Amino acid sequence: MATFLRRNPFLCRLRYIVSDFTFLSPSGCLIGAVNLKSSNRTPVVQEFESVELSCIITDSQTSDPRIEWKKIQDEQTTYVFFDNKIQGDLAGRAEILGKTSLKIWNVTRRDSALYRCEVVARNDRKEIDEIVIELTVQVKPVTPVCRVPKAVPVGKMATLHCQESEGHPRPHYSWYRNDVPLPTDSRANPRFRNSSFHLNSETGTLVFTAVHKDDSGQYYCIASNDAGSARCEEQEMEVYDLNIGGIIGGVLVVLAVLALITLGICCAYRRGYFINNKQDGESYKNPGKPDGVNYIRTDEEGDFRHKSSFVI
C-alpha cells in the first residue's frame, strides 16, 4: 500500500486531507500517527465483580509502544500500570489485556475513579495519545437506621429519620405508612389532605408540621440506588389527643394540696409548735423570791442581806 501511495502522490495528498491522524513526510510520503479509542468510556459495575477498561490502538507505525495507566481520584494522580507492572492497590487483581486494555477483578467502591490510558509511539509523527475512562462501582444499600417517635400529641411537630451510609451512589429515601408510599409533599396528593408533612428524599427526613389522628400507623423507610434497595423494620407512631379536662383537674388537685399544707403550717405556728423556748436557763439563774422576804445588795457587802425579818 505504501509503494502504491508513493507512486501516486495525488492519492497520498488526498489521504492527508481526509484523515486527521496521518501526515505527509518531506518527500510527500505518509507517516502514521498513534490514535486511541475505547468501546466504553463510562463502564458501570457492581462491587466485587470484574470490569475491563477498554483502550485500543487504532493507528500507529510503532510496533512496541509504551503503555501507561493512571488513576485520578480526589485530585490526585497515581500509577496503575507503569514499567510493564501493575502498581498500587491494584497489584494482584488487575492485568493488561490485548497490549493496552486494563482488566480489574474484585472491584471495590474505592476503585471508582477516572482512569487514563496513555500511549507513547516513538516511530510516529504524533507520538502521544491518551484516553480517559470513568469507572463507577455501584454498592447496594444496607439496612437503613430508622427513628420513629412512639407517641405524639395531636397538633405537635414530629420528625422521622432514615439514614444509610454504605450505598454508592448515594441512595434516595422513601417512606411508607401502612405499606402506602408517602409523597414528598402531602399537599401534592389529595389522599393525604388531612396530613401536613414534607419528605426530603436525599436526607431521608420526614417532617410533620402538625400531626393528625390519621397520621397514626406503621412506618418504615426504603433506601435505594441503581445497585438495589434495603428497608428498615416497621415502627409504630401513635397520635393521641390531649386531655385538657384531666390536665386542669390535676392542676386543681395540686393547688388544693398546697393550700392544705400551707394552712397546716399556719396552725402549727399559732399553737406554738415552732416557737423555741429560751427562758429555761434564765429561770435557773434567777430563782423566785419567797413571800415576805426582800433581798438587797450594798456596796460594802459582797453578798445579799435581809431587809426585814421573817414574820412568824
Side-chain angles (χ1 to χ4, degrees), residues 210 235 267 296:
Q235 300 182 41
C267 292
I296 62 174

Side-chain angles (χ1 to χ4, degrees), residues 13-24 30-35 58-59 125-126 128-129:
R13 294 179 182 275
L14 180 62
R15 182 170 180 183
Y16 171 74
I17 294 173
V18 300
S19 176
D20 294 330
F21 305 100
T22 54
F23 302 87
L24 285 173
L30 289 173
I31 299 178
V34 63
N35 180 38
T58 58
D59 294 297
R125 179 70 175 267
K126 177 179 172 242
I128 302 174
D129 196 16

Side-chain angles (χ1 to χ4, degrees), residues 69 97 309:
W69 276 93
L97 294 179
S309 303

